[in-house]
Amino acid sequence: MGQISVKNRMRILPAGPLKGELTLPGDKSITHRAIILGSLADGVTEIGGALRGDDCRRTAVALGAMGAAIEEQGDDRLLIRGCSLHGLTEPGDILDAGNSGTTMRLLAGVLAAQPFFSVLTGDQYLRKRPMARVAAPLRSMGATILGREGGNFPPLGILGSRLRAIDYVSPIASAQVKSAILLAGLFAEGETTVTEPSLSRDHTERMFEAVGIPIRRNGLTVRTRRVTTIPAFRLTVPGDFSAAAFFLVAALLIPGSELTLRGVGMNPTRTGLLDALASMGAAIEAGRSRVISGEPVADLFVRSQELHGTEVGGALIPRMIDEIPAFAVAAAVAKGPTIIRDAAELRVKEVDRLAALAKELRRFGAEVEERPDGLLLHGSCLLSGCECDSWGDHRIAMALAVAGLAATGSTSISDPLCVSSSFPDFWERVEAIRHGAVDSLEG
Ligand code: S3P
């Protein structure tokens, strides 16, 4: 939630069976990318199913400050009059990415190539997140990027320039890093390549393909090159798998639940949680599989099931990186221990999510050991309601809400409005799916 400290708390009561159907808000990652490419396109781009969350709004406002005209229509449509690839103008003020790492890192890639000066800042959480991972490769393409502590922390001052292509071998599987470089590559002389250690989400690559931007993929390497224009496009954003994750886990844990989630994005670089849950014994059915704007989509059907402990690590982690908070709740309840390894990246998300999950799940009675790169959850916990802290992190707040719904007794969660980064009506959806489970915002 931006810089505002919200004192309110959300009270959650144990839920009876979750029944019915749910559609999810639009995918956050895809919405950011559509706003960026639409702003750089020639003509009017139409985006359906867009997420109206705080994070994507930050991207839109920043591009608006540089000349794009972005209009919200109805619940989830965006009309973007793009500036064309070389039409952005110097912003008159700093650009505030709020809580959104994707806004800051992807826009850094675009700004590195602009013939002007810009400053990107963010809220108290984002200003503590590392930016060297994008600043270093963008500098080697020719941009000047300054920041606090040797250029690693926001605010970032960016003086763009004529870029040259690089072949970048990324030490981390990060879609934000990959995407920043690919976006800069659209302006750079030569062919830009990015190689990652394992595959991170590939929405940028798919959207480049869908709108006709040259992109080639070979295993873990992706290539693009300079283009002169991007034609305006029409795109429909699928439901956010990361938003679905909370309801999948809640339905698995709450006896008697039967839930259908409609129109969920099923990009395989995002659905690692389904593999992890399957390894715990969960059977989640996918039906009506289709492809929308280059992204696979399906309806998911989930019913409550007994889960057992498992181990997750390696290449599975980037495929479920944002779902680990929800997964940890499932692991706390599952019979027997679960080990999460190779997940040190969680320490540099909106907050240190390993520390947050260990501390908050213990309040519910779970036995959790924190490790440098993951968690050991002993499992078999009968969650008991508690007063807990969202740490101002949307996904921690929603994971704790799932724990609260599955717990005995009442739970109260601090700063619940932080969910607006990615899922503004999360609390209303929870209430709708289990009427009476969410009580009130307590003053
Ligand atoms: C995102 C990539 C991931 C993810 C984040 C959104 C994106 O971050 O955790 O929520 O839209 O590209 P990293 O690229 O840092 O892994």
Side-chain angles (χ1 to χ4, degrees), residues 28-30 32-33 102 105-106 129 133 173-177 179 200-201 203 321-322 345 349-350 353 395:
K28 179 160 81 70
S29 292
I30 297 175
H32 279 295
R33 287 155 172 79
T102 310
R105 296 201 179 111
L106 267 58
R129 297 182 63 189
R133 54 181 59 199
S174 162
Q176 293 178 351
V177 170
S179 302
S200 65
R201 64 192 65 192
H203 304 301
I321 191 77
D322 289 341
E345 268 294 298
K349 292 294 175 191
E350 282 77 336
R353 286 184 173 158
R395 298 200 209 283

Side-chain angles (χ1 to χ4, degrees), residues 236-260:
T236 300
V237 180
D240 199 328
F241 182 86
S242 298
F246 300 103
F247 291 97
L248 288 176
V249 172
L252 285 170
L253 298 187
I254 298 168
S257 296
E258 283 188 351
L259 214 50
T260 301

